[in-house]
Amino acid sequence: EVVLTQSPATLSLSPGERATLSCRASQSVGPYLAWFQQKPGQAPRLLIYQASTRATGIPARFSGSGSGTDFTLTITSLEPEDFAVYYCQSRNNWPPEFTFGPGTKVEIK
Amino acid sequence: QVQLQESGPGLVKPSETLSLTCGVSGSSTSSGHYWGWIRQPPGKGLEWIASVSHFGTNYYNPSLKSRVTLSIDTSNNQFSLNLNSVTAADTAVYFCARLLRLGSLDLYFDYWGHGTLVTVSS
C-alpha cells in the first residue's frame, strides 16, 4: 500500500504570495500522482495529473513537479479563490488501489 | 458537460446496508472509463472506497473490501455502491467520480458528483 504524507499541514500566506506544497510517497509511484483542490462544501477538483499536467481549465499559476517519491505543487501568486485544502493522490501498481494524502490547508494570513 | 449525481438515503441505521447510486450524464458508463466512490467523514480527509471498470471488473480498498459491493448498469448509465454492516464510523459525505483512463495503469478522478451526506444513526 502506498502511503502519502503532505507538508506542511497548514500554510498561512497572503494573496499574491507563492505557495509550495509537498507530497511524499512511501514507495515510488513513478509519475502517477494527482493534486486536487477542495473548498468547503464542494467536491474535490482535479488540478494536476501525471505529476505535472494541468487539468482542463486550470490556470497556469498552478504547476506540479516531481517523480518517484517526492512531489511539489506550486501556486505562483495566490488569488483569493485559491485558499482551500489541497490533496495529493496516487495508487498502487496493481490492482489499482487509490490513496489520498491527509491534505494541506492554505489559509489567509 | 460530464455530470455525476449521487442519490440514496441520507440516514441509515447501524448494522444495515448503505446503498447509493450515481447517475451519469455527458459520458457513457460503457465507454473505456472507470468509475469510483470516495468518501469523506465530517472534517476529515478523503478515502477511496472502490472502483469499477466499464466491463464490470471491481477494485476495492482492502480495508472495506469485505463489506462493499459495486455494480454498473450501462443501460441506465449509472453505477451503484452497497456498503453493509454500517457503523457510526461510516458516516461521511460519499462522492462518486469518473476515472480518466490515460493508460492501463494511468487513472485519475477527473469528474466528481457534488457528494451526499450519509449519517449512520439509530
Side-chain angles (χ1 to χ4, degrees):
Chain A
E1 177 193 357
V2 175
V3 177
L4 299 175
T5 55
Q6 291 186 243
S7 60
T10 304
L11 198 51
S12 299
L13 295 168
S14 300
E17 289 194 294
R18 181 185 188 94
T20 303
L21 288 67
S22 175
C23 178
R24 176 162 290 180
S26 60
Q27 60 190 200
S28 177
V29 297
Y32 301 122
L33 187 111
W35 289 95
F36 294 85
Q37 176 194 68
Q38 188 180 33
K39 298 178 181 179
Q42 296 185 15
R45 178 174 70 146
L46 178 65
L47 299 175
I48 301 286
Y49 61 93
Q50 290 177 332
S52 61
T53 302
R54 274 191 303 276
T56 303
I58 302 303
R61 64 180 181 274
F62 291 92
S63 65
S65 64
S67 184
T69 60
D70 290 294
F71 300 86
T72 300
L73 174 70
T74 302
I75 311 170
T76 52
S77 179
L78 283 163
E79 297 287 339
E81 62 267 27
D82 298 336
F83 292 92
V85 179
Y86 292 83
Y87 294 95
C88 59
Q89 175 261 310
S90 189
R91 55 123 186 84
N92 290 346
N93 276 338
W94 195 263
E97 298 169 359
F98 300 90
T99 305
F100 291 88
T104 290
K105 182 179 182 180
V106 179
E107 65 177 22
I108 300 176
K109 187 174 181 180
Chain B
Q1 178 79 356
V2 178
Q3 293 185 318
L4 293 88
Q5 179 67 57
E6 305 88 353
S7 60
L11 181 64
V12 181
K13 290 182 168 55
S15 81
E16 295 191 345
T17 297
L18 179 160
S19 296
L20 295 173
T21 296
C22 182
V24 179
S25 60
S27 184
S28 173
T29 54
S30 59
S31 67
H33 297 293
Y34 286 42
W35 308 87
W37 292 93
I38 302 99
R39 69 181 183 179
Q40 185 170 37
K44 297 188 178 180
L46 300 163
E47 180 183 36
W48 170 71
I49 302 170
S51 295
V52 58
S53 70
H54 64 288
F55 42 80
T57 303
N58 297 336
Y59 306 100
Y60 300 103
N61 184 323
S63 68
L64 297 169
K65 183 176 181 177
S66 63
R67 299 194 290 131
V68 172
T69 304
L70 278 191
S71 61
I72 190 163
D73 179 357
T74 55
S75 60
N76 288 307
N77 216 34
Q78 63 187 28
F79 59 103
S80 299
L81 168 73
N82 281 352
L83 178 67
N84 61 36
S85 304
V86 297
T87 69
D90 295 309
T91 293
V93 175
Y94 285 75
F95 297 99
C96 60
R98 190 184 82 167
L99 278 154
L100 173 65
R101 186 171 182 233
L102 299 175
S104 61
L105 303 179
D106 210 1
L107 300 161
Y108 302 98
F109 298 102
D110 63 344
Y111 287 96
W112 296 61
H114 294 298
T116 186
L117 174 63
V118 179
T119 301
V120 178
S121 175
S122 55

